[in-house]
Amino acid sequence: SPFFHEVAAAGDTVEIRGPSASHFAWRPEEPGAVFLAAGGSGVVPFLSMVRQRAHVTAPSPMALLYSARSLEDVIAGEELLASLGRPFVSHTSLVATQLARVLDTATEVSPPPGLRGVLLGGGPIPPALLTQALSAGWPVWPSYGATETASGVAAARPEAARRATWAAGTALPGVELRVVPADPGTATDLGTAVVRAATGPGAATAPRAAATDEDGAATPGELHVRGPMVFAGYLDDPAATAARLTPDGWLRTGDLA
């Protein structure tokens, strides 16, 4: 630990209190792939496994998921690269500003090898940006969600996003969506229908779907979400909770649809 060494010295007795995880180990004779996940100095315990695998030339494939600000911050980076091979990103989550900066500053517009998905959300998504990324081969999945729903509740596959850059996708498994017009008695259950953007011509994350009036014309309404991902309420604020949650569990998102 970058902190513990400042207060501890060789020979000190250390008492560990509180819950602690069980031990873990890797043995070369065990079959199957090995997946390691670490951040910062948490990679240190895995180095012995990586070194043992290289020493005995074990055939088991080994992959490391490491969180670091840059390659320069990776502990024993050169050793890990030599043992495990070139690093690659398979999935990432970005907001529109981050994706725009990547496309503007990347030496190559095409995505890195091995990239399988870019979850895009957290705010409005300009259709022009989505078109640019998809045209360059980036596997972008536009999405919609909220803090009160533990992040995403809808997402669009890249092939669907190409057909409709205004779309935030279809409801994820376990998610119920409905649009509630001015008259709550005429709420429309969306099921897994396509969810459209509603925050103006330059946005594509706030959902939009069509509730219809007597003449079949689309009318705006508020998007409601229900499912096990919806929060239980705001801490110590029953009034705010009652304003957002209906008695039967629907979350009033406040987003027009």
Side-chain angles (χ1 to χ4, degrees), residues 22-30 34-36 45-46 48-49 52 62:
S22 60
H23 71 280
F24 56 92
W26 172 75
R27 298 176 178 81
E29 63 271 15
E30 294 179 353
V34 181
F35 178 75
L36 310 174
F46 295 146
S48 61
M49 301 183 192
Q52 177 69 0
M62 182 174 286

Side-chain angles (χ1 to χ4, degrees), residues 207-230:
R208 181 178 182 83
T212 57
D213 59 19
E214 296 177 343
D215 301 322
T219 59
E222 182 184 24
L223 182 76
H224 287 193
V225 180
R226 185 168 68 177
M229 75 298 301
V230 173

Side-chain angles (χ1 to χ4, degrees), residues 6-255:
E6 297 177 357
V7 297
D12 286 352
T13 299
V14 178
E15 180 182 1
I16 299 177
R17 297 184 178 183
S20 59
S22 60
H23 71 280
F24 56 92
W26 172 75
R27 298 176 178 81
E29 63 271 15
E30 294 179 353
V34 181
F35 178 75
L36 310 174
S41 60
V43 74
V44 173
F46 295 146
L47 285 174
S48 61
M49 301 183 192
V50 174
R51 291 166 178 166
Q52 177 69 0
R53 174 178 176 271
H55 176 70
V56 301
T57 62
S60 301
M62 182 174 286
L64 170 66
L65 174 62
Y66 195 155
S67 176
R69 292 182 180 273
S70 68
L71 287 177
E72 290 71 24
D73 295 321
V74 174
I75 297 175
E78 293 184 3
E79 179 182 353
L80 290 173
L81 287 176
S83 299
L84 301 178
R86 178 183 176 185
F88 70 93
V89 176
S90 60
H91 297 79
T92 187
S93 179
L94 303 174
V95 298
T97 301
Q98 292 172 315
L99 178 60
R101 289 178 178 176
V102 168
L103 295 176
D104 289 342
T105 61
T107 55
E108 296 182 6
V109 179
S110 57
L115 185 65
R116 297 171 55 191
V118 177
L119 189 65
L120 194 61
I125 303 173
L129 173 65
L130 185 58
T131 299
Q132 178 188 2
L134 291 170
S135 298
W138 289 75
V140 178
W141 293 59
S143 65
Y144 169 79
T147 301
E148 291 83 357
T149 60
S151 193
V153 295
R157 294 177 179 273
E159 55 269 24
R162 290 188 183 92
R163 296 192 298 267
T165 55
W166 42 258
T170 59
L172 299 177
V175 177
E176 294 180 78
L177 301 176
R178 72 179 183 182
V179 173
V180 180
D183 178 6
T186 61
T188 302
D189 188 350
L190 298 184
T192 57
V194 170
V195 180
R196 297 189 57 186
T199 55
T205 54
R208 181 178 182 83
T212 57
D213 59 19
E214 296 177 343
D215 301 322
T219 59
E222 182 184 24
L223 182 76
H224 287 193
V225 180
R226 185 168 68 177
M229 75 298 301
V230 173
F231 79 147
Y234 297 109
L235 181 64
D236 299 329
D237 198 340
T241 299
R244 297 297 297 274
L245 285 177
T246 68
D248 55 349
W250 288 97
L251 170 68
R252 302 181 180 100
T253 66
D255 290 323

